[in-house]
Amino acid sequence: MAERDLSSKLFAAAREVIPGGVNSPVRAFRSVDGDPFFIQRARGCRIWDVDGNEMIDYVGTWGPAILGHAPSVVIDAVSHAAKEGVSFGIPNRHEVEIARMIRDYVPSVEKVRMVNSGTEATMTAIRLARGYTGRDKIIKFEGCYHGHVDSLLVAAGSGALTLGKPDSAGVPDDFASLTMTLPYNRPEAVEEAFEKEGENIAAIILEPYPANAGLIFPNEGYLEFLREITEKHGALLIFDEVMTGFRVAKGGVQELVGITPDLTAMGKVIGGGLPVGAFGGKAEIMDYLAPDGPVYQAGTLSGNPLAMAAGIAQLKEMERLDGWQRLEEIGQQFEDGVRDALNEIGRDLTFHRVGSMFCLFFMEGKVENVDDVKNSDFDAFRKFFWSTLDKGVYFAPSQYEAGFISLAHAAEDIDKTAEVTRDALKEIYS
Ligand code: HOZ
């Protein structure tokens, strides 16, 4: 086992002053029955902990690091911007540039507002949907995670699900009662909800490819169905593309599937690793926002020049390198390696991948929603996590999280990962 003495000491110190020792629960390694390591530095596809252990990283700061860690284009852009001032609270030119880029990339976006996190983006998209439609209820899907917004912490995914707290304490029943939670990929449940409550439903919000309960794909026709039923009932369709946006394709899932939501929540990649979120959509809806419209939303650090500069630099570099196409190629190599490993051990574990996002489920058969994921062998996952970590590969510490590949993952890194995966699987299943 790798030595992690310094990490252990830091974690003990952290627990005295930070609840649970972490600033975000998914980092606590609870579902794999262990303690987190503390990071010293990150470069390319590699991270090093404070004890000097080197790992190939497939968490990528939970999605933003699409070029790899600390790419020089981003560092240069941030350094340059910082010399002009780190925050203004007054409009700056970077805000216009990134807004134009987002509008040009994302099919549904005519106007966009920048915020500081994905949570802010989904929170405000919902407020805007309610303000625009004059209705209160929201449909969300079990296992989808949209940040820690009160009314969305109901049957939530990611850390909430990992820690067995999909319905958070502290959310008044009155708020929660405005959220209708339904199983993903089950059109009949949505039909029934609209039959009963059609006039009160402001919006459906979903991750079009749910990626906070593993990585799940919509059945054929499902997203089209959601588009049609929302239109029919005068409700909005909100895609949460915080994870998939600028990642699975330049324009996110909506580009891949050719469906235009009314509003889209974004984040992660467009911040280049700095704190950023955004939401955008049809101009007519976006103009309901203050100062033009009646729906209020604000933020001292929104449109922060360092974050904007980092995001612009990252997106431009992706363009320059034909990044999305290359990520598909690297992703395919990764998938081939995993499937070879599974063949070698004679197991047909379910593996999902789209471009540079993936999830290996420790179960066989179809995974269509979070109820299916609950059939995974969590003990096998836990063993796999520690075994691969010990061999120098860091996957997310929960079966409910997706993995991320970056442009910095070279063929040798992917080969090594395939080897490590095969060896870990052999240990578990032989
Ligand atoms: N959406 C990320 C996990 N799927 C967030 C990371 C966090 O909660 O810290």
Side-chain angles (χ1 to χ4, degrees):
M1 286 287 277
E3 291 289 321
R4 293 214 152 86
D5 292 349
L6 255 178
S7 275
S8 300
K9 284 191 185 124
L10 275 170
F11 192 49
R15 291 184 80 139
E16 287 176 19
V17 284
I18 302 173
V22 291
N23 280 314
S24 193
V26 289
R27 299 176 197 170
F29 284 30
R30 291 276 168 94
S31 78
V32 288
D33 294 340
D35 291 342
F37 57 82
F38 277 62
I39 192 87
Q40 180 69 39
R41 68 193 177 93
R43 195 56 136 198
C45 71
R46 289 191 154 64
I47 54 176
W48 289 266
D49 68 17
V50 287
D51 291 284
N53 298 300
E54 177 179 317
M55 291 153 274
I56 302 176
D57 176 29
Y58 289 95
V59 177
T61 187
W62 301 96
I66 198 164
L67 296 171
H69 291 285
S72 52
V73 285
V74 171
I75 292 174
D76 290 349
V78 171
S79 316
H80 191 264
K83 286 184 189 137
E84 297 188 330
V86 295
S87 173
F88 306 123
I90 300 170
N92 66 77
R93 67 188 158 78
H94 302 295
E95 295 171 86
V96 186
E97 185 171 3
I98 201 161
R100 282 198 179 132
M101 291 175 86
I102 292 171
R103 180 200 58 192
D104 292 347
Y105 283 18
V106 186
S108 66
V109 171
E110 293 171 2
K111 286 194 177 179
V112 60
R113 181 158 283 177
M114 304 305 297
V115 290
N116 298 298
S117 68
T119 293
E120 277 187 59
T122 55
M123 175 181 77
T124 320
I126 280 176
R127 186 182 306 139
L128 183 54
R130 286 177 165 147
Y132 180 76
T133 58
R135 301 171 178 183
D136 288 341
K137 294 213 165 173
I138 296 287
I139 291 180
K140 88 172 273 291
F141 295 102
E142 293 158 3
C144 279
Y145 176 71
H146 307 288
H148 57 100
V149 181
D150 274 349
S151 59
L152 296 173
L153 277 178
V154 185
S158 191
L161 184 59
T162 298
L163 295 173
K165 296 180 173 61
D167 306 306
S168 174
V171 176
D173 287 347
D174 285 352
F175 291 12
S177 68
L178 295 176
T179 307
M180 304 168 79
T181 54
L182 306 177
Y184 184 78
N185 264 333
R186 297 286 176 263
E188 58 288 355
V190 178
E191 265 160 5
E192 200 181 310
F194 272 101
E195 261 162 42
K196 280 198 196 137
E197 292 276 1
E199 287 173 5
N200 301 320
I201 297 172
I204 294 182
I205 184 166
L206 76 155
E207 301 176 75
Y209 292 174
N212 283 288
L215 175 64
I216 299 173
F217 299 126
N219 289 339
E220 212 182 321
Y222 184 64
L223 295 179
E224 288 80 354
F225 158 79
L226 294 178
R227 178 64 284 183
E228 274 162 30
I229 197 161
T230 43
E231 244 160 33
K232 183 170 151 204
H233 290 271
L236 301 190
L237 183 64
I238 306 174
F239 276 7
D240 176 347
E241 296 230 46
V242 171
M243 289 175 91
T244 52
F246 314 91
R247 162 67 68 177
V248 299
K250 194 170 155 182
V253 175
Q254 56 196 271
E255 177 192 313
L256 291 181
V257 299
I259 290 170
T260 309
D262 299 295
L263 292 173
T264 301
M266 296 161 273
K268 302 216 189 244
V269 169
I270 43 166
L274 275 79
V276 159
F279 61 99
K282 293 186 177 136
E284 184 198 322
I285 303 172
M286 292 300 287
D287 285 340
Y288 256 67
L289 283 174
D292 285 347
V295 175
Y296 199 72
Q297 177 275 333
T300 300
L301 294 173
S302 295
N304 174 268
L306 304 194
M308 300 302 97
I312 293 165
Q314 172 141 284
L315 291 174
K316 282 189 176 163
E317 188 69 349
M318 283 295 287
E319 286 261 19
R320 192 183 71 79
L321 298 172
D322 196 10
W324 292 279
Q325 179 53 38
R326 278 187 57 195
L327 280 175
E328 171 53 32
E329 289 155 18
I330 305 172
Q332 186 60 58
Q333 189 200 345
F334 181 90
E335 176 168 354
D336 293 345
V338 173
R339 293 206 185 278
D340 286 349
L342 290 172
N343 282 339
E344 213 175 305
I345 60 153
R347 290 276 165 162
D348 194 16
L349 301 184
T350 305
F351 179 73
H352 285 178
R353 176 186 74 85
V354 53
S356 57
M357 288 177 80
F358 64 87
C359 183
L360 176 63
F361 295 98
F362 283 78
M363 57 175 285
E364 298 186 358
K366 270 193 183 170
V367 175
E368 293 186 340
N369 56 38
V370 68
D371 277 345
D372 293 335
V373 185
K374 287 180 183 159
N375 295 323
S376 276
D377 181 344
F378 288 84
D379 190 44
F381 172 82
R382 186 180 54 75
K383 288 182 183 144
F384 178 78
F385 171 80
W386 288 110
S387 174
T388 48
L389 188 69
D390 208 36
K391 295 173 180 40
V393 174
Y394 175 48
F395 291 118
S398 166
Q399 172 72 97
Y400 292 119
E401 299 289 350
F404 298 96
I405 300 166
S406 77
L407 280 186
H409 285 83
E412 309 83 76
D413 302 312
I414 302 286
D415 285 346
K416 175 170 177 195
T417 305
E419 226 172 83
V420 164
T421 298
R422 186 199 56 213
D423 292 350
L425 290 172
K426 270 189 185 160
E427 282 169 21
I428 296 164
Y429 290 109
S430 60

